[in-house]
Amino acid sequence: MAKIPCAVCGKELGLLSGKVKISDGAICTNCLSSAGISMLSNNMTYNQQSINELISTRKKIVENFSSTKSVGTYIQVDENNKSFKIGKDIFSYENLLSFELLEDGQSITKGGLGRAVAGGLLFGGVGAIVGGVTGGKKSKGICNSMKLRISLKNAHTDVVYINFILTETKTNGFIYKAAQDSAQKCITALETISDINQSALNQPVYAPQSVSSADEIVKFKNLLDQGIITQEEFDAKKKELLGL
Ligand SMILES: [Zn+2]
């Protein structure tokens, strides 16, 4: 069996080294990761060109990262380049799917699905829920773990965690309070990113006047192909759209 090179970096793809098929060849797992693509994604939707574009976009995000806002060492946000850093990992705003605060494995609050989708009041004010629910658990007196689970999309990894509490901690103590405070600030930062993503989604994809004649013709061609309009009607519409 002939060895083929990675379509992106040219490294030889052996039988043992990771090899990922894309629509027009194969690439190494390093390049897949540099492009910010998860192993679990459908790699056949990518080709050599789109992988190269993703790699350069990601490289730009990583190289240009400059934090404008941060919550301790937990999360850093680069508001100018619309990216955020957790640990050593940098993601673009678009990578953020959702997040969930877990205390001893139990879901305390969720977010990121968009306030419009969630109906706003379902999750309520972030502060209210974090304060309220954890407040209700005080009778237990001990917390063994508090972490924020962040789900990502179109990224090299599908989930990252921010840990606030990793060992047995009294819920009436200073450490717990500080963790709660940090968690809340991280949630607020993520909620802000999520809102920006959401408002970008809600914007019309195109203004009506920007629809090109070519797009319109394609639409009518589809109608013709489906037998909804006749050839004559299509020809007339095409002439009109082209201004003939
Ligand atoms: Zn490669």
Side-chain angles (χ1 to χ4, degrees):
M1 195 172 146
K3 280 180 184 166
I4 55 163
C6 165
V8 171
C9 71
K11 199 183 88 178
E12 213 169 69
L13 296 168
L15 287 173
L16 294 173
S17 60
K19 181 170 79 177
V20 180
K21 274 189 179 163
I22 54 172
S23 67
D24 56 355
I27 62 167
C28 69
T29 49
N30 272 343
C31 287
L32 187 78
S33 166
S34 303
I37 303 167
S38 158
M39 285 295 286
L40 299 169
S41 64
N42 179 10
N43 301 309
M44 296 308 274
T45 59
Y46 299 101
N47 59 29
Q48 201 179 324
Q49 195 196 338
S50 61
I51 296 275
N52 272 314
E53 281 164 11
L54 285 168
I55 289 176
S56 69
T57 305
R58 201 174 143 69
K59 210 175 150 204
K60 246 181 254 163
I61 287 176
V62 173
E63 279 172 1
N64 296 336
F65 190 85
S66 171
S67 163
T68 55
K69 204 169 76 180
S70 66
V71 181
T73 53
Y74 298 114
I75 185 166
Q76 291 177 57
V77 181
D78 179 343
E79 293 161 301
N80 299 322
N81 294 307
K82 290 188 162 40
S83 55
F84 59 102
K85 189 175 188 180
I86 293 167
K88 282 179 181 168
D89 264 336
I90 296 174
F91 304 97
S92 72
Y93 278 12
E94 293 145 21
N95 292 142
L96 179 66
L97 186 61
S98 62
F99 48 90
E100 184 173 20
L101 183 68
L102 300 162
E103 206 178 309
D104 289 336
Q106 194 189 327
S107 180
I108 301 299
T109 186
K110 288 181 195 177
L113 303 166
R115 287 181 205 272
V117 178
L121 284 173
L122 184 61
F123 293 138
V126 169
I129 291 199
V130 173
V133 179
T134 50
K137 289 182 68 189
K138 265 179 198 143
S139 55
K140 208 180 112 199
I142 292 290
C143 171
N144 290 301
S145 91
M146 187 193 289
K147 59 188 172 184
L148 200 49
R149 181 185 201 275
I150 299 160
S151 300
L152 304 152
K153 59 182 175 183
N154 305 326
H156 58 284
T157 179
D158 295 316
V159 63
V160 282
Y161 288 95
I162 301 178
N163 290 301
F164 303 101
I165 289 178
L166 286 164
T167 55
E168 197 175 292
T169 303
K170 283 188 181 131
T171 57
N172 59 1
F174 163 76
I175 294 171
Y176 182 82
K177 286 272 177 292
Q180 223 179 9
D181 184 52
S182 298
Q184 195 158 314
K185 282 178 181 158
C186 286
I187 288 171
T188 303
L190 291 169
E191 198 70 69
T192 304
I193 293 172
S194 173
D195 280 352
I196 290 168
N197 285 345
Q198 202 61 34
S199 63
L201 278 181
N202 289 342
Q203 259 155 31
V205 177
Y206 53 79
Q209 63 267 30
S210 73
V211 176
S212 72
S213 304
D215 289 339
E216 285 290 285
I217 292 169
V218 170
K219 262 191 237 165
F220 285 104
K221 178 69 170 68
N222 287 335
L223 293 175
L224 171 68
D225 292 344
Q226 289 166 42
I228 295 167
I229 59 170
T230 65
Q231 184 69 51
E232 288 72 33
E233 284 166 333
F234 172 75
D235 289 341
K237 201 70 198 170
K238 185 174 143 188
K239 264 187 188 172
E240 183 194 314
L241 286 164
L242 291 173
L244 295 171

